[in-house]
Amino acid sequence: MSTALEIRNLSKTYSGGVEALRGVDLDVEEGDFHALLGPNGAGKSTLIGILTNLVRPTAGEIRVFGVDARAHPERARTLMGVVPQEFNFNVFEKALEILVFQAGLYGIPRTRALPRAQELLERLGLGDQMHQIARHLSGGMKRRLMVARALVNSPRLLILDEPTAGVDIELRRGLWEILTELNQKGTTIILTTHYLEEAEQLCRNLAIIDHGRILEQGPIQDLVRRLEVQTFVLDLAAPATGKELPAAFQVRRIDPERLEIDVPGGLTLNQVFAALEACGLEVISLRNKSNRLEELFVHLVGRGRP
Amino acid sequence: MNAHGLWIALATLLHREVGRFLRIWMQTLLPPVITMSIYFVVFGSLLGSRIQRIDGFSYIEFIVPGLVMMSVITNSFSNVASSFFNARFQRSVEELQVAPLPDWIMVAGYVGGGMLRGILVGFLVLLVSLAFHPVRFHNLPIVLAFLVLTSLVFALAGFSNALIARRFDDISIVPTFILTPLTYFGGVFYSISLLPPFWRGLSRLNPILYMVNGFRFGFLGASDIPTWIGLATLIGLAAGLVALNLGMLARGVGLRT
């Protein structure tokens, strides 16, 4: 399998002296669903801005499916589609025309672009809004319109910058389905998001960026396994009032029927249940106190801060 | 992208630009035609009959080419300046930036749209002028050459303005404080032969003088300036502005941080 995106030693210093990227190295394999996470101001938008020709890099190399994006920017751009964070279409144009226009800029003639645009709008649930002026669309519709627009040139690499920000849960899940389907059909996807459960649910690999540096990258499952402690919230069948709590674990009472338990890495949930049973505590449900990826994220980003 | 793809991209951009100014014709085509009609009535019919002939031509006959040129200049410029700055402001220019387009397509698309509006408005103003005086062409190729080159120069200048503008105010500064005075002092309403030597010499520094006089020569066969100087000035300005715009785009001015 080839590499969809290869970034080497990418740096960006803005004219004011702000170092947004400090030697970023990143590899995204073809067919991957890759998350790019980081707190606000970490360098994500600068990185995506460079990939999409909106920001000029100070130094470094970028290859898109082997094409040197700095030497042959136009060839590299034919392979990509971008869903930006902010709405950036002409709000006075009709939805269908926005897609046909974008297709034209990729050299796709109107006769081919029109059925493709119609198909994409139908697929994204905008079939009834095709001839609607874009500024009359709801926020969720506008976001789906941007996804449809990014797909009009059938990109091999799709970059989405917080595509579900401010979107209701139903729409978010709809977009997840579409993105999963695209990825299963072979489109490589890079996603930035602040919803870590979204990244954990959709992506196989991730990179965490902070202060312009990649702190960690690799398969999500491998990274979350490295968590030293996981905290679970347990719902009990009966109040634990007056009962002894397992001494082998850090356990805190939230209320009579709920406990919070820290499980160190290396121990299994079977061991937890055995200890609870020995104390006469019956568990009816449990959940992670916080998303595992969120714990990893907070751990890594927190470690990098003064 | 191959040549066919580039042609489709250029045609796409042109199609949108032309569609835009045709769709809002009440704002783009009608006002200049009405303004120029008023000029024809006031300066041509009402005052013109009391003004003596210039270079052997009636006053209305003398000012028609200049007023057509004035329309071409302002419309070519403002079409590109407002459309491109609006695309920057709305960020829809990013649609072009992410696409696999060389910079010259962006320039050609917007400038082509501005030229077409300038030429169309010029044609409409010329049509209106027929109600006041018949038009005669002394040299049609010269008329067409000045029409196309002038619209090109000012559409390119509109692009430069839109690229460096930071606010909407910045795209009205050039038409208000530079284009309008230069046009009025560019020989639209008078022949510089009527001016004292100092002002005549100063007028020769005004590039619009060369455009207006060259264009007028195409209609009337009379000009204050040799036609070849006008053509050379326009070609030089166009080449300089193309280089300026492409240079700014390559450096990311106004578009890339």
Side-chain angles (χ1 to χ4, degrees), chain A residues 174-232:
Chain A
L175 274 174
W176 289 1
E177 277 175 29
I178 291 162
L179 295 177
T180 304
E181 188 190 329
L182 276 170
N183 181 243
Q184 282 167 350
K185 286 182 178 169
T187 307
T188 308
I189 299 178
I190 297 176
L191 171 80
T192 80
T193 180
H194 281 297
Y195 302 112
L196 300 185
E197 77 278 11
E198 179 170 275
E200 192 170 5
Q201 176 143 348
L202 293 174
C203 303
R204 284 186 286 283
N205 293 290
L206 73 76
I208 294 180
I209 185 170
D210 194 21
H211 291 106
R213 288 197 177 89
I214 300 285
L215 298 181
E216 202 69 68
Q217 63 178 307
I220 290 181
Q221 293 309 320
D222 288 357
L223 292 172
V224 293
R225 249 182 243 131
R226 281 163 41 191
L227 278 173
E228 286 159 11
V229 176
Q230 285 193 68
T231 303
F232 294 93

Side-chain angles (χ1 to χ4, degrees), chain A residues 53 56 74 77 88 91 149, chain B residues 92 94-95 97 99 257:
Chain A
N53 189 37
R56 296 191 324 152
E74 285 117 34
R77 275 182 252 151
N88 69 345
V91 293
R149 184 185 59 178
Chain B
S92 62
E94 290 175 8
E95 290 179 328
Q97 288 180 268
T257 48

Side-chain angles (χ1 to χ4, degrees), chain B residues 135-150:
Chain B
V135 169
R136 60 170 154 173
F137 293 104
H138 171 73
N139 188 330
L140 188 59
I142 288 288
V143 169
L144 295 176
F146 272 89
L147 184 67
V148 170
L149 284 170
T150 303

Side-chain angles (χ1 to χ4, degrees), chain B:
Chain B
M1 204 156 31
N2 59 24
H4 182 60
L6 289 176
W7 166 245
I8 290 170
L10 177 60
T12 300
L13 196 46
L14 270 175
H15 179 262
R16 192 182 67 173
E17 282 304 289
V18 173
R20 188 193 72 87
F21 75 69
L22 289 179
R23 193 170 57 234
I24 51 169
W25 61 274
M26 293 269 281
Q27 296 168 47
T28 54
L29 304 180
L30 192 59
V33 172
I34 290 175
T35 308
M36 289 305 148
S37 303
I38 294 168
Y39 275 116
F40 291 141
V41 171
V42 175
F43 292 105
S45 296
L46 301 179
L47 294 175
S49 57
R50 294 162 187 270
I51 298 172
Q52 61 182 8
R53 297 173 79 82
I54 301 177
D55 295 336
F57 301 99
S58 67
Y59 191 62
I60 179 81
E61 211 174 358
F62 181 83
I63 63 169
V64 164
L67 290 175
V68 171
M69 193 50 99
M70 196 170 166
S71 313
V72 173
I73 288 171
T74 50
N75 284 279
S76 303
F77 184 93
S78 61
N79 193 75
V80 184
S82 63
S83 177
F84 189 57
F85 183 73
N86 202 40
R88 279 184 60 210
F89 185 78
Q90 277 197 57
R91 301 178 64 169
S92 62
V93 72
E94 290 175 8
E95 290 179 328
L96 279 78
Q97 288 180 268
V98 300
L101 301 177
D103 290 340
W104 67 264
I105 290 274
M106 197 189 295
V107 178
Y110 276 96
V111 167
M115 287 174 70
L116 288 172
R117 174 169 153 195
I119 291 169
L120 180 58
V121 170
F123 178 72
L124 293 174
V125 170
L126 192 62
L127 272 185
V128 171
S129 77
L130 291 174
F132 299 88
H133 198 279
V135 169
R136 60 170 154 173
F137 293 104
H138 171 73
N139 188 330
L140 188 59
I142 288 288
V143 169
L144 295 176
F146 272 89
L147 184 67
V148 170
L149 284 170
T150 303
S151 62
L152 171 65
V153 164
F154 284 94
L156 284 164
F159 191 91
S160 310
N161 191 182
L163 210 48
I164 54 178
R166 289 167 185 268
R167 299 163 301 169
F168 274 102
D169 288 352
D170 296 341
I171 56 167
S172 63
I173 287 173
V174 173
T176 309
F177 297 103
I178 300 175
L179 285 188
T180 303
L182 286 182
T183 308
Y184 276 80
F185 291 118
V188 172
F189 297 102
Y190 55 86
S191 164
I192 59 164
S193 62
L194 303 173
L195 299 175
F198 172 77
W199 294 106
R200 201 184 308 153
L202 198 64
S203 294
R204 286 179 187 277
L205 299 175
N206 179 358
I208 291 178
L209 178 80
Y210 299 85
M211 300 170 195
V212 169
N213 272 276
F215 196 57
R216 184 177 287 135
F217 177 83
F219 283 94
L220 307 178
S223 171
D224 293 331
I225 308 285
T227 308
W228 71 268
I229 296 181
L231 284 173
T233 305
L234 280 169
I235 291 169
L237 282 171
L241 285 165
V242 167
L244 175 71
N245 284 325
L246 291 179
M248 287 198 288
L249 286 176
R251 291 201 314 279
V253 174
L255 294 180
R256 296 162 75 205
T257 48

